[in-house]
Amino acid sequence: MKHIRYFKILFIIGQFFFAIYNKRKLILSLSTRSFKSNYSGSVLGLAWVIAEPLVYVFLLWFFFTKAMKFQPPEGYPYVPWLMSAMVLWNFFSHAFSSSASTFKNHAFILKKPEFNMSILPIVSILTSLYLHAIFLLIFFILMGITGIGFTLYWFQSIYYLFATAILLLGFAWITASLSLFIKDVSNIIGILLQIGFWISPIFWSLDTFPPKYRLLLELNPLSYVMEGYRKSFIYGQPFWNDWRGFIYYWSFTLIILLVGMVTYKKLRPHFGDVI
């Protein structure tokens, strides 16, 4: 029975990736349209989205380096050290907050029963990825200004970005499905993001905490990928050094994916009643 169950899970996963490949043009089209519609309605458009986190960076830099005299480990420049985690946080928070309305925003596709709606969260993740690419460009320019040169470790950031996207996919299945039936999901996401911002190693380092408190902070899965971005761009350390973080992160992510998959499967037949 267990073998049959495993084969069934693998078959569902195979169907999902086949649907992504089969609808890849539609996914790209929807994500591009979503990106344009999000930032074409205001006078400054995309500039507002870029300016807000940059203002955060400036305020955090001033508060921690000038007021509290905090310095990153080994004397790295604070602003690129800070932005190495901030750019990934912006990607996660933007994709996570927009995931709740994914199914609602594409209700017109519900009329096509042959369409696999489980691939729609990819649209919100891709939309956030476009914005992430812009922030990375700004970050790379800043790295050059502060004298931090290119290394081959930069390429392992692709792994950490992929890991973040897989976690977001699981969360998106949960939030997008539940938000159709529970209107407070968006508010809950807002609260979770506020908490996540302060317990993630964005403007502080895990090394500055005593071991007993550091263990609690490492339970936040975002600690693994954010520290991973720093290892890639700032520290120049290989990802395989943190094997415990690897095991914990992917165990947590697989659980979230499983919960998301079950949530979507259970609620999918009832989407038509609420959309």
Side-chain angles (χ1 to χ4, degrees), residues 237-258:
Q237 298 175 359
F239 74 91
W240 55 80
N241 280 356
D242 186 13
W243 60 269
R244 284 185 293 187
F246 175 89
I247 293 173
Y248 172 74
Y249 180 86
W250 284 107
S251 299
F252 181 90
T253 299
L254 288 175
I255 291 172
I256 294 297
L257 278 174
L258 182 60

Side-chain angles (χ1 to χ4, degrees), residues 167-216:
L167 178 61
L168 281 167
L169 178 61
F171 279 133
W173 280 335
I174 298 171
T175 57
S177 300
L178 290 178
S179 65
L180 295 176
F181 304 88
I182 304 173
K183 305 303 179 184
D184 297 327
V185 169
S186 296
N187 296 327
I188 295 172
I189 289 175
I191 294 172
L192 291 176
L193 287 176
Q194 289 289 334
I195 297 172
F197 179 81
W198 294 104
I199 66 171
S200 297
I202 300 173
F203 48 88
W204 46 263
S205 172
L206 287 171
D207 295 331
T208 59
F209 287 85
K212 60 179 180 180
Y213 297 117
R214 178 176 174 174
L215 179 62
L216 291 174

Side-chain angles (χ1 to χ4, degrees), residues 5-76:
R5 190 179 303 169
Y6 291 147
F7 280 122
K8 187 176 180 180
I9 292 173
L10 289 174
F11 178 73
I12 293 173
I13 294 173
Q15 277 188 317
F16 174 72
F17 283 108
F18 178 77
I20 292 176
Y21 177 79
N22 194 35
K23 300 293 184 180
R24 61 191 183 280
K25 292 183 179 179
L26 177 61
I27 292 172
L28 287 173
S29 175
L30 289 173
S31 61
T32 304
R33 186 176 69 176
S34 176
F35 182 78
K36 291 179 179 178
S37 64
N38 286 342
Y39 308 115
S40 61
S42 61
V43 176
L44 294 179
L46 190 62
W48 286 117
V49 186
I50 297 174
E52 183 179 358
L54 292 180
V55 170
Y56 261 120
V57 169
F58 173 78
L59 291 175
L60 292 172
W61 165 81
F62 181 83
F63 181 76
F64 280 96
T65 61
K66 301 303 180 183
M68 297 185 64
K69 305 298 182 182
F70 172 81
Q71 290 297 327
E74 301 183 26
Y76 293 105

Side-chain angles (χ1 to χ4, degrees), residues 4 7 15-16 54 63 72 92 99-100 138 151 156 166 180 196 238:
I4 296 175
F7 280 122
Q15 277 188 317
F16 174 72
L54 292 180
F63 181 76
F92 177 85
S99 65
I138 296 172
T151 69
Q156 74 179 11
I166 296 299
L180 295 176

